[in-house]
Amino acid sequence: MSLIELEKIFQDKIDKEIRIEPKDWMPEKYRQTLIRQISQHAHSEIVGMLPEGNWITRAPTLRRKVTLIAKVQDEAGHGLYLYSSAETLGISRDEMVSQLNSGKAKYSSIFNYPTTSWADMGAIGWLVDGAAIMNQVPLCRNSYGPYARAMVRVCKEESFHQRQGFEILLVLSRGSEAQRKMCQNAINRWWWPSVMMFGPGDDASPHTAQSMKWKIKRFTNDELRQKFIDICAEQVKLLGMTLPDPDLKWNAAKGHYDFGAIDWTEFWNVVAGNGPCNKERLEARNKAHDDGAWVREAAVAYARKQKDKLSQTKVA
Ligand code: FAQ
C-alpha cells in the first residue's frame, strides 16, 4: 500500500473516532508529536512535585500534611502512567528522563515559579490543577488509545486536587486579616502564570492546527484559556477575593469574560529556561535523580535520629 493510501486510512479512522493503538500504522509525525506532548506532560507532573513537596514539612496541620503528601504522590503516579503511555510509541523511559535532566526536554512553564507561602498550596490546587483539568479532560478523548486511557484516572485525581486547593483558600479567606492577605497575594502571583499554562495564543501556536486534525487536541489553546478564565472569574467571588486583572469584565454579547493582555515575553522567557526557578528546579530534579542520593541522605538522617534516640533512652 502506498504512503498516501495508508495516511488516508489513518485519517479516516480518526475522523470516525476510532482510536489509534500502538501496533496500528501511524504517520511518523503523529508519533513524534505524541512523544513530544506526552513526555512533556509526564515531565510536568514530575517537576510539579517539587514546589509542592517543599511544603509537606510546613503544612499547618496533620490533615493538611496527609492531604498534601497524597497529592504529591498522585503527581508521581500521573508521571508514571504518562511515561508508560509514551513508551508504547517506541521511546524508552531512560531516554525521556535523561532529556528532562539535561534540560533538553520541556515541562510546563508553571513549575518555574516559587512557592513562598502556605496559601500557594491552595492557589496551585485551585488555579494550576484547575487549568490542568480544563486542558486534560478533553485529552481523555484524544485519538491515541494509551494516552486517552491514562488521562481518565489522571483527571479524576486532578479534580480532587483542585477541590483541596480551593478549600485551603476558602479557609484562609474566612480567617484573620493576615490570612486573607496571604490568600490574595497567592492568587495575585499565580493567576497570570496559570493563564499562560495553556500555551501561546492560537496565532502563535505552531502545533495546534495539525494536532486538532489528528484529534490529539480537541480544543485550541485560546478556547481552553477562555473557558478557564470564565470559570475562575465566578469562583473567585466565592472566596471574596479578586483576580489581578483590571480588564476582566463580563461581555454579555460574547457570553464570555474579556481579559487583559498576557505578557508573552514573560512566558517565552520561562519556556526558554530563564524563569524565576528554572535553574533551581533542574538542580533539584538532578539531585533527586543522581543515584537516588536523596533516598540515601534521608535514610542516613533517619538512622542517625534513631541512634540518638537510643542513646538518650540508655542515659535515662
Ligand atoms: N510550558 O504549538 P503549541 C499539571 C511550548 S500538568 C512550556 O501550542 P502544543 C499537573 C510547546 O511545547 C501541566 N512550554 O504546542 C500538576 C511548543 O514547544 P515545542 C502540563 C509550552 O503542544 C498540577 C511551543 O510552546 N500539561 O499541571 C507551554 O500543541 C499541579 C508551541 O506551543 C500538559 O502538558 C507551557 N505551558 O500545545 C502537577 C498537557 N505551552 O515542543 C503538579 C498536555 C506551550 O515545539 C501540581 N499538553 N509550550 O518546542 C498539551 O495539551 C499541549 O502540549 C499544550 C501546548 C497545550 C501544553
Side-chain angles (χ1 to χ4, degrees):
M1 219 179 278
S2 73
L3 195 61
I4 295 177
E5 283 167 325
L6 285 167
E7 278 181 355
K8 187 174 174 325
I9 294 170
F10 171 82
Q11 189 62 49
D12 280 351
K13 263 185 171 172
I14 290 189
D15 294 344
K16 287 185 189 143
E17 303 286 334
I18 299 171
R19 289 254 162 87
I20 305 301
E21 296 298 337
K23 287 185 179 162
D24 294 344
W25 185 90
M26 60 185 82
E28 181 55 20
K29 278 202 172 151
Y30 175 82
R31 196 178 73 83
Q32 289 298 341
T33 300
L34 280 169
I35 289 179
R36 178 185 61 79
Q37 176 165 327
I38 303 172
S39 67
Q40 281 179 14
H41 192 166
H43 299 329
S44 306
E45 302 282 356
I46 298 302
V47 177
M49 294 164 73
L50 296 168
E52 290 189 298
N54 281 342
W55 278 89
I56 290 174
T57 53
R58 289 175 283 172
T61 65
L62 182 60
R63 181 167 83 91
R64 294 293 188 206
K65 202 185 285 286
V66 169
T67 316
L68 188 57
I69 289 173
K71 180 183 193 291
V72 172
Q73 187 173 302
D74 285 351
E75 310 299 0
H78 298 176
L80 295 183
Y81 317 146
L82 289 162
Y83 285 129
S84 301
S85 152
E87 279 177 311
T88 64
L89 292 155
I91 183 166
S92 73
R93 190 173 306 192
D94 276 355
E95 203 178 330
M96 289 183 274
V97 170
S98 75
Q99 285 173 357
L100 168 66
N101 290 347
S102 69
K104 189 174 164 224
K106 285 192 169 70
Y107 58 84
S108 182
S109 50
I110 193 76
F111 300 117
N112 293 303
Y113 290 86
T115 44
T116 55
S117 79
W118 168 249
D120 289 27
M121 295 305 100
I124 290 184
W126 176 41
L127 297 173
V128 177
D129 286 278
I133 295 169
M134 190 57 78
N135 166 283
Q136 291 172 19
V137 168
L139 289 176
C140 299
R141 293 188 295 114
N142 86 75
S143 57
Y144 187 57
Y147 189 22
R149 289 188 286 274
M151 290 316 298
V152 173
R153 178 152 172 195
V154 171
C155 286
K156 283 187 183 159
E157 290 174 354
E158 296 292 19
S159 157
F160 149 72
H161 298 169
Q162 197 252 0
R163 283 168 212 192
Q164 69 86 37
F166 192 80
E167 200 252 346
I168 290 174
L169 295 185
L170 196 60
V171 169
L172 292 174
S173 74
R174 291 173 180 170
S176 66
E177 192 46 34
Q179 286 171 317
R180 288 182 56 77
K181 265 196 184 149
M182 182 166 68
C183 180
Q184 183 63 62
N185 178 280
I187 294 171
N188 291 350
R189 282 180 291 106
W190 288 93
W191 175 245
W192 288 109
S194 303
V195 168
M196 291 177 201
M197 260 179 88
F198 294 91
D202 294 348
D203 52 355
S205 162
H207 302 299
T208 294
Q210 184 60 69
S211 288
M212 296 282 286
K213 196 167 170 230
W214 280 332
K215 296 188 181 169
I216 293 174
K217 281 167 117 169
R218 293 282 181 162
F219 295 95
T220 71
N221 299 355
D222 284 336
E223 284 167 350
L224 292 172
R225 189 176 357 259
Q226 182 70 61
K227 281 172 188 249
F228 172 72
I229 292 174
D230 289 347
I231 285 182
C232 293
E234 291 301 316
Q235 288 177 338
V236 76
K237 293 178 190 168
L238 298 171
L239 296 173
M241 300 280 143
T242 56
L243 295 174
D245 179 357
D247 297 320
L248 191 72
K249 217 162 108 196
W250 177 248
N251 182 328
K254 283 193 195 157
H256 290 294
Y257 274 87
D258 288 332
F259 54 94
I262 296 170
D263 184 349
W264 290 118
T265 310
E266 174 179 321
F267 173 76
W268 290 116
N269 269 335
V270 176
V271 171
N274 304 316
C277 292
N278 290 67
K279 195 165 165 275
E280 194 181 303
R281 294 286 180 260
L282 210 56
E283 279 171 5
R285 173 62 216 151
N286 272 294
K287 188 168 185 296
H289 190 260
D290 280 347
D291 300 319
W294 66 279
V295 178
R296 283 200 306 279
E297 279 162 24
V300 169
Y302 179 75
R304 198 175 296 135
K305 222 167 156 189
Q306 292 300 101
K307 207 173 147 197
D308 288 352
K309 251 194 206 163
L310 206 66
S311 60
Q312 275 166 15
T313 325
K314 274 184 193 157
V315 171

